[in-house]
Amino acid sequence: MKRFFILFYLLFTLTVVHAQKSLLFGSIKDSISSLPISFATIAVLDMDGHVVDGAVADSIGGFRFFDLKRGQYAIVVKFIGYRQKKLVVDFDGRSQTNLAEIALVSTDQRLTEVKITGELAAQKHSADRQRYQASQYGNAVGGTALDIVKNLPSAAVDGNGNISMRGNTGIIVLINGKPSLLDPATILSQIAANDVTDVEYITSPSAQFDPDGKGGIINLRTKKASSDGFAWIVNLQGGLPSIDNHGNKRRQKRFGGDISFQLKKNKLELSGSANYLRNDNAGFREGSVYTIIGDRQTFFPSKGERSFDKYNFGLRLNGSYELSKKQQINLGMLASRKFQDRLADIDYTNRTVRPSTGEELSKINYFNSNLQNKQGEFYLIDFNYKYKFSDTHLLQAGAIYEYANIYGSTKNANIEHRIDTVQWTNNNYTNPLNGLRISVQHQWKLSHGELLSGYQLRNDRQKGNFEYFATEKPGEAIKLIPEFTGKLNANNTVHAIFSQYDHKLERTQLSLGLRYEYYQRDVLLVNTGMEYPYSVHQLYPTLNLMHNLSEDWSWKFAAARRVQRNNNFELNPIPEREHSETLEQGDPNLLPEFTTNVETGIVKKLKTGSIFLNTYYQHTKNPIQRVNSVYADTILNRVFTNADYATRLGAELGGEGKLLPWLRVNGGLNLYRYKISGRVLTYQETNSNSDWVYSLNAGVQADLAKNWSTGLQVNYLSERPTVQGKDSRFVAPHFNLSKAFLKGAIKAQFQWQFIELGKWGVNEQRITTSSNDFFTTTNYIYEKNILMLNLNFNFYKLNQLLKLPKSEFGEKEF
């Protein structure tokens, strides 16, 4: 909160400084009703009739002019249906002058009705990116930005909330072009869907962007003021009781709300939002596992509850101020908190046999209660300064500071006969992160393009403390286990220099770029003093080309080299007892993934929409895989490791448009051939796996009579091969029904999420891996038929519609 107050103070200071300058202000009203006239046009002319300044009145008829020089001016006010009014004002150039209320007289010339309809294209395409309007995805209302992103043509989200683009899980998320060190699912869940205007998917980022993230970049663009005035929107959401909670212990809670505002006053712009979302989920899991150690084979199938209690809330604030015609500053802040409890109460049947003879050696049933808690507070402050030397030269400098206080625990209790606790373990950890990004870049506008060059610094530091306590004797105090305890310091530094040339002709856009980076990574195990240094020099070339073949057809081509750097979770070698059957750890010797991406595509504009087809090829060196090996007879060791290489050859087809004036459709199909190969851990054989993978996102939205609308959105992800097995398909259909009131100022929506479709396995995911000494398959079954109610209030529209009564005589006397 301290960081929030600092930011608020800075923005408030800007406003105060702004208000202390010379000011000419007033308001416009109707001469008969005395009601304010919204959006009247006000012009300031000198005595020779030349325009000095101009403005449009806000929603309550107010207007302001700053920094006018000393002199005599003519103030001209116009509005449709009223006579023009002209005032002559002597202004001293120093004080604040109030013109009070300017009354306009109506004319006999009136317009019966003027109806102007316009609609933004739901999808736009350029050489390096695709842009999607958030409003076309009705099922995302009341949710988070993740609910928007998962509907993009090449996006897929699995049962664990992991998002992938074109099959790649390595994605960088930007908010209004500003990066974050947090993982995609975390940062997307901190932004309210109602605060997002559109989403850009940058498939082949140019040299000015950090090349981290083999899946490309997702850029969220949030709402901003389009004209002078103040506007705000409130959204409330609540969930109905669960239809099937799988017999979970606790009742699921689902409710939330968000509020956003935009303020624009001459040179000052402010926008912000706050949101809270409680979104519990009931669940169930069933698994089958066996291990082989010598002549002993142990089977331990399981089933039981796997539910989530989770909430998050966030606060976003952005401000920009034009110091002069040449200078502008921007300041932004994001503060949020995320909490999640995952409860897994699992019954195991443990049976050991001797494979050579079939003899049963032992058999026992036991119950494992596992509670995993993850939580954290996240803060980000962003500052940017622009200085325009001339029409051809622009300098930008910026800094982003990020702090994340991440902590949690995992508690395990193995209980026999549901009474006797035979083992108790507790993992506690704190893992705070400090990150800093600094950038300086120069933009040089040329006759047919521009040259962009700059320097960027990225540094993040993480100090983790991981403690493991356990006891295997009832009543005995738990003790620290040194084998699973330790402190980890990780430091990542990237120095980058880039240059990018963007060339624009009448029908062609071309971008050529080259980026040089020096990357240094230092991992230190404090308890043992072991160091794991890594450094590398790399060049990242980029090419983007888009050519308009005609007014309706465009062709594009792109090629780039990217990197997927290892996060600190993957590098952490300190084991964690994830639950009864799994021990998790990373590898500090992991190598980054290096990916080469080439793509080409065509875009066809339609009368009421567009369609596109892209083909792409990706080759990845050192792909990171999460693999299993046998740790003990009933415990698998889950470890991150590098395979040798992976390839993707695929195509994506998508589009949107109106089939009828009242019926709009959107959709996307991504199909690729995936192959991965490499030796895993200490296994001698080379594992190779390949298969076709596809994802489908499709939706339909219909506008019905009397301000009713309805929609259906379906997300489908097919089976995917891994280096040791496969992940099952995942399907998620959603329905929405909406009713608008007061010309759209109030909107109510009913949502039916994860519609159950018989044996289709909606909202279920099975993960299977195997080798010569183990086999494991687990099906995660999440809650279906989630019913939500949503109310949206647009107070800007309400102010225009509701003319509330006021005290005429009282106000005059006052």
Side-chain angles (χ1 to χ4, degrees):
M1 292 301 295
K2 182 179 179 180
R3 295 174 174 83
F4 166 73
F5 287 119
I6 293 174
L7 177 62
F8 180 81
Y9 173 77
L10 292 173
L11 292 175
F12 179 76
T13 302
L14 288 177
T15 309
V16 172
V17 172
H18 182 81
Q20 290 174 346
K21 294 184 178 181
S22 63
L23 176 66
L24 181 67
F25 64 100
S27 61
I28 314 299
K29 71 174 184 177
D30 185 288
S31 62
I32 302 299
S33 66
S34 295
L35 292 175
I37 299 176
S38 305
F39 312 119
T41 301
I42 305 99
V44 180
L45 311 178
D46 61 20
M47 289 299 96
D48 295 327
H50 300 128
V51 177
V52 177
D53 204 347
V56 176
D58 59 25
S59 59
I60 57 174
F63 66 90
R64 295 186 177 193
F65 295 101
F66 294 92
D67 300 332
L68 290 176
K69 297 179 180 179
R70 179 180 179 181
Q72 193 175 61
Y73 297 99
I75 310 299
V76 180
V77 183
K78 297 181 181 180
F79 193 67
I80 295 175
Y82 290 87
R83 297 176 184 173
Q84 174 180 309
K85 188 159 188 176
K86 183 177 181 179
L87 303 173
V88 177
V89 177
D90 289 315
F91 188 60
D92 60 14
R94 297 189 305 274
S95 62
Q96 298 184 11
T97 302
N98 186 359
L99 298 180
E101 293 182 337
I102 301 175
L104 297 187
V105 179
S106 63
T107 65
D108 294 331
Q109 183 182 13
R110 294 185 180 272
L111 298 177
T112 56
E113 183 181 35
V114 176
K115 187 175 182 180
I116 301 174
T117 57
E119 192 170 319
L120 292 172
Q123 298 181 10
K124 292 182 179 180
H125 297 263
S126 57
D128 65 338
R129 69 192 65 192
Q130 306 157 16
R131 181 182 296 179
Y132 302 92
Q133 290 292 322
S135 58
Q136 65 182 302
Y137 306 117
N139 64 298
V141 172
T144 67
L146 183 62
D147 297 302
I148 298 174
V149 170
K150 69 183 182 183
N151 292 312
L152 304 186
S154 293
V157 177
D158 64 16
N160 293 318
N162 299 314
I163 183 170
S164 60
M165 303 296 294
R166 293 181 176 177
N168 293 300
T169 55
I171 302 164
I172 298 299
V173 174
L174 309 179
I175 303 174
N176 296 318
K178 306 302 181 183
S180 169
L181 295 172
L182 301 179
D183 65 277
T186 298
I187 192 66
L188 289 172
S189 66
Q190 307 306 306
I191 305 296
N194 300 310
D195 195 30
V196 180
T197 56
D198 53 66
V199 178
E200 293 179 326
Y201 175 38
I202 308 175
T203 60
S204 184
S206 54
Q208 72 180 102
F209 293 104
D210 189 331
D212 199 4
K214 61 182 179 181
I217 295 175
I218 291 174
N219 182 33
L220 303 178
R221 294 157 57 95
T222 57
K223 293 179 179 177
K224 295 182 179 180
S226 57
S227 59
D228 278 11
F230 180 78
W232 56 300
I233 297 173
V234 174
N235 190 78
L236 301 175
Q237 186 180 68
L240 300 182
S242 296
I243 294 176
D244 182 8
N245 66 357
H246 300 287
N248 290 179
K249 287 184 176 180
R250 298 180 181 177
R251 182 175 64 88
Q252 285 66 49
K253 299 177 182 179
R254 285 185 280 268
F255 57 88
D258 56 79
I259 180 172
S260 61
F261 78 92
Q262 301 89 45
L263 171 65
K264 187 175 182 181
K265 285 291 184 181
N266 299 289
K267 298 180 180 181
L268 177 67
E269 290 187 33
L270 289 176
S271 66
S273 66
N275 69 294
Y276 176 90
L277 182 63
R278 175 71 184 256
N279 188 22
D280 297 348
N281 290 107
F284 184 83
R285 58 153 276 184
E286 53 186 4
S288 178
V289 190
Y290 71 74
T291 61
I292 299 174
I293 302 177
D295 198 20
R296 291 170 58 91
Q297 185 172 15
T298 303
F299 299 86
F300 44 107
S302 61
K303 60 180 179 180
E305 173 179 345
R306 190 175 190 269
S307 61
F308 292 85
D309 294 343
K310 53 186 178 180
Y311 67 83
N312 60 267
F313 57 84
L315 177 67
R316 183 188 64 83
L317 188 62
N318 287 310
S320 66
Y321 184 76
E322 187 177 325
L323 298 171
S324 66
K325 291 183 178 180
K326 292 185 176 183
Q327 299 181 79
Q328 180 178 322
I329 59 172
N330 294 271
L331 195 61
M333 184 276 289
L334 175 68
S336 62
R337 171 166 169 74
K338 188 174 183 179
F339 175 95
Q340 175 181 290
D341 266 348
R342 192 266 291 138
L343 178 65
D345 279 354
I346 310 297
D347 286 293
Y348 285 90
T349 301
N350 189 324
R351 186 171 66 92
T352 302
V353 301
R354 195 183 305 277
S356 60
T357 63
E359 175 189 2
E360 184 174 274
L361 302 177
S362 64
K363 184 177 181 179
I364 188 172
N365 297 331
Y366 66 94
F367 170 71
N368 173 250
S369 181
N370 173 269
L371 178 63
Q372 182 190 73
N373 172 262
K374 295 181 179 180
Q375 54 185 309
E377 295 87 36
F378 309 95
Y379 304 93
L380 185 148
I381 296 179
D382 165 36
F383 175 80
N384 187 266
Y385 172 78
K386 296 180 181 179
Y387 185 83
K388 189 176 182 180
F389 290 94
S390 64
D391 292 337
T392 57
H393 293 279
L394 175 67
L395 179 67
Q396 295 187 62
I400 299 174
Y401 171 73
E402 190 168 358
Y403 174 73
N405 182 29
I406 305 169
Y407 53 98
S409 64
T410 302
K411 298 178 180 179
N412 267 294
N414 286 332
I415 305 171
E416 293 183 1
H417 313 298
R418 292 268 179 167
I419 299 175
D420 301 323
T421 301
V422 297
Q423 186 185 51
W424 172 261
T425 66
N426 185 8
N427 273 87
N428 295 315
Y429 72 90
T430 58
N431 204 14
L433 179 146
N434 285 272
L436 178 65
R437 296 174 187 259
I438 297 175
S439 65
V440 179
Q441 63 183 40
H442 173 258
Q443 180 181 339
W444 182 11
K445 290 187 177 181
L446 306 172
S447 57
H448 292 289
E450 62 182 32
L451 181 65
L452 188 67
S453 303
Y455 165 79
Q456 295 172 358
L457 168 67
R458 167 181 167 177
N459 176 260
D460 66 87
R461 292 170 286 110
Q462 203 155 2
K463 293 185 177 181
N465 184 24
F466 307 89
E467 297 178 330
Y468 182 84
F469 298 89
T471 180
E472 295 184 359
K473 294 181 180 180
E476 184 180 69
I478 60 175
K479 298 179 180 179
L480 188 71
I481 309 301
E483 181 184 358
F484 297 158
T485 298
K487 294 183 178 181
L488 175 79
N489 293 347
N491 187 69
N492 296 275
T493 304
V494 180
H495 296 275
I497 300 174
F498 71 91
S499 188
Q500 175 182 320
Y501 176 65
D502 297 325
H503 188 70
K504 294 182 180 180
L505 297 175
E506 184 177 353
R507 301 174 62 179
T508 305
Q509 300 177 39
L510 172 66
S511 176
L512 287 170
L514 183 63
R515 184 184 183 94
Y516 161 79
E517 284 194 352
Y518 172 68
Y519 170 51
Q520 181 175 345
R521 182 184 78 198
D522 295 295
V523 177
L524 169 66
L525 288 176
V526 178
N527 292 27
T528 64
M530 293 290 294
E531 297 184 18
Y532 301 88
Y534 174 83
S535 62
V536 65
H537 299 265
Q538 291 288 321
L539 289 175
Y540 298 96
T542 62
L543 167 64
N544 291 285
L545 172 67
M546 189 164 190
H547 179 69
N548 295 328
L549 302 172
S550 65
E551 291 185 0
D552 299 330
W553 288 91
S554 299
W555 168 75
K556 65 178 184 178
F557 175 84
R561 187 169 185 266
R562 299 189 62 74
V563 63
Q564 182 71 41
R565 300 189 184 98
N566 315 105
N567 62 45
N568 295 330
F569 177 68
E570 296 169 343
L571 297 170
N572 181 13
I574 302 171
E576 178 191 0
R577 191 71 178 272
E578 176 73 7
H579 50 77
S580 178
E581 66 188 61
T582 304
L583 195 67
E584 288 193 342
Q585 64 184 122
D587 181 359
N589 292 308
L590 275 179
L591 299 174
E593 301 179 49
F594 294 100
T595 298
T596 300
N597 179 75
V598 179
E599 64 177 282
T600 186
I602 55 173
V603 181
K604 166 66 175 175
K605 292 181 181 178
L606 307 175
K607 290 183 178 180
T608 58
S610 64
I611 58 174
F612 68 90
L613 172 65
N614 293 326
T615 59
Y616 58 89
Y617 173 76
Q618 296 175 345
H619 182 278
T620 300
K621 182 181 178 183
N622 311 323
I624 297 171
Q625 292 285 290
R626 205 173 185 182
V627 297
N628 291 321
S629 63
V630 177
Y631 178 82
D633 56 352
T634 60
I635 301 177
L636 292 176
N637 196 18
R638 186 177 297 165
V639 185
F640 290 98
T641 188
N642 291 112
D644 292 337
Y645 72 91
T647 60
R648 282 183 179 86
L649 176 62
E652 56 186 7
L653 174 67
E656 60 80 28
K658 282 188 173 181
L659 298 182
L660 298 169
W662 53 272
L663 184 66
R664 178 176 288 277
V665 296
N666 68 79
L669 171 67
N670 181 39
L671 172 68
Y672 63 90
R673 179 75 177 179
Y674 179 66
K675 181 179 181 181
I676 185 167
S677 180
R679 291 177 58 184
V680 176
L681 303 178
T682 58
Y683 294 105
Q684 296 301 312
E685 71 276 9
T686 298
N687 288 30
S688 294
N689 201 357
S690 64
D691 204 349
W692 287 98
V693 181
Y694 64 94
S695 63
L696 173 67
N697 296 320
V700 58
Q701 199 76 24
D703 295 324
L704 308 177
K706 297 182 179 180
N707 295 318
W708 285 89
S709 63
T710 186
L712 179 67
Q713 195 82 27
V714 177
N715 310 118
Y716 182 89
L717 176 61
S718 72
E719 290 186 344
R720 288 91 63 209
T722 63
V723 74
Q724 280 188 324
K726 65 179 180 180
D727 293 351
S728 73
R729 70 179 183 179
F730 185 77
V731 58
H734 307 284
F735 169 80
N736 65 79
L737 178 66
S738 303
K739 166 70 172 177
F741 304 91
L742 297 176
K743 296 183 180 181
I746 300 177
K747 189 174 183 180
Q749 185 180 78
F750 166 75
Q751 297 177 1
W752 182 6
Q753 300 175 357
F754 302 107
I755 305 170
E756 189 169 8
L757 300 175
K759 296 182 179 180
W760 271 73
V762 169
N763 209 17
E764 297 182 14
Q765 184 176 4
R766 179 177 292 276
I767 300 175
T768 303
T769 61
S770 64
S771 190
N772 55 17
D773 57 353
F774 77 90
F775 172 85
T776 174
T777 181
T778 306
N779 191 29
Y780 300 96
I781 303 170
Y782 304 98
E783 188 175 352
K784 305 172 177 59
N785 299 315
I786 296 175
L787 306 179
M788 307 290 293
L789 297 175
N790 193 84
L791 277 176
N792 182 272
F793 301 88
N794 188 321
F795 284 90
Y796 182 79
K797 292 183 179 180
L798 282 174
N799 287 340
Q800 304 304 306
L801 295 171
L802 303 180
K803 302 297 185 181
L804 300 178
K806 64 179 182 179
S807 170
E808 179 180 352
F809 298 110
E811 286 191 5
K812 287 184 178 179
E813 292 299 322
F814 181 80

